[in-house]
Amino acid sequence: MRRFVKDNALSLFFLTAFVLSLVGQSFAGHAAANERQIAEGGTAVSWVEYVTSAEFTVDVAENWQSEYLQFLLFILATVYLVQRGSPESKEPGKEGGESDADQQVGRHAEPDSPPWARNGGLRQGLYGNSLGLAMGGIFLLSWLAQSVTGTASYNADQLAQLQDPVSWGEYVVSADFWNRTLQNWQSEFLAVLSMVALSIYLRQRGSPESKPVGAPHHATGVEG
């Protein structure tokens, strides 16, 4: 058990941080929702009612979709685009999908390479793009969840104000939907830009997300 924890400490740390922050969000959101309900002359709802409501789900989903969009775009962009001096980038001149030898696929596979890396055709193509496909799939599902639950939450507010509800199609082209969406997208893109650019000149000793402390600024694709 101790070996398992040590070997998976990074994943376990972020899994724990995720669960704690999600639970914290649920309690804080529940309290805020009840304050608003009471101020508007309504009645308080239970925690269970709140975490199963469209209001809570849309807040969670809109954050998830922006995070996975960030990872999807970063994964795909770094295949073809480079940033000289950044450890987040490949070296200039290595743009593209690289050779089979570089990627250790087909006849260049190692004895312990994944089975689908040794095979050609569709299976190798799918496995060779599986990370991007997974991130893209999660992004689309969370975006769909955001749009559906956002429609329900928006219509609840509309009915409370004695206004007509809208359809899913009308909501996904509405200002409310894109205001929520773009708020998250711009912050994610800024975070990636900051990581790519600042890592050219700044260091974090011992981190694989940073170059070695003594590496020159122009060194690219070098990890600490």
Side-chain angles (χ1 to χ4, degrees), residues 107-201:
R107 62 187 180 88
H108 301 284
E110 300 293 333
D112 57 351
S113 294
W116 281 27
R118 300 192 192 96
N119 300 313
L122 179 61
R123 284 190 293 179
Q124 186 187 110
L126 286 173
Y127 187 68
N129 296 280
S130 56
L131 182 59
L133 290 171
M135 292 295 180
I138 297 172
F139 161 67
L140 290 175
L141 288 174
S142 55
W143 181 88
L144 179 61
Q146 177 199 348
S147 66
V148 172
T149 55
T151 303
S153 179
Y154 182 80
N155 281 338
D157 290 339
Q158 288 286 95
L159 292 172
Q161 298 171 19
L162 303 179
Q163 297 182 15
D164 293 333
V166 299
S167 68
W168 175 82
E170 289 173 321
Y171 180 70
V172 295
V173 296
S174 70
D176 183 81
F177 176 78
W178 285 105
N179 179 50
R180 281 178 168 270
T181 299
L182 293 172
Q183 281 184 48
N184 286 278
W185 286 9
Q186 55 87 11
S187 63
E188 303 300 340
F189 298 153
L190 177 61
V192 173
L193 171 62
S194 300
M195 188 67 180
V196 170
L198 292 177
S199 61
I200 299 173
Y201 303 102

Side-chain angles (χ1 to χ4, degrees), residues 24-60:
Q25 177 190 352
S26 72
F27 283 107
H30 176 233
N34 277 341
E35 287 178 3
R36 185 171 61 253
Q37 284 278 95
I38 294 171
E40 295 174 353
T43 57
V45 299
S46 69
W47 179 82
V48 173
E49 289 176 312
Y50 174 71
V51 296
T52 55
S53 69
E55 181 181 354
F56 176 73
T57 308
V58 69
D59 288 341
V60 173

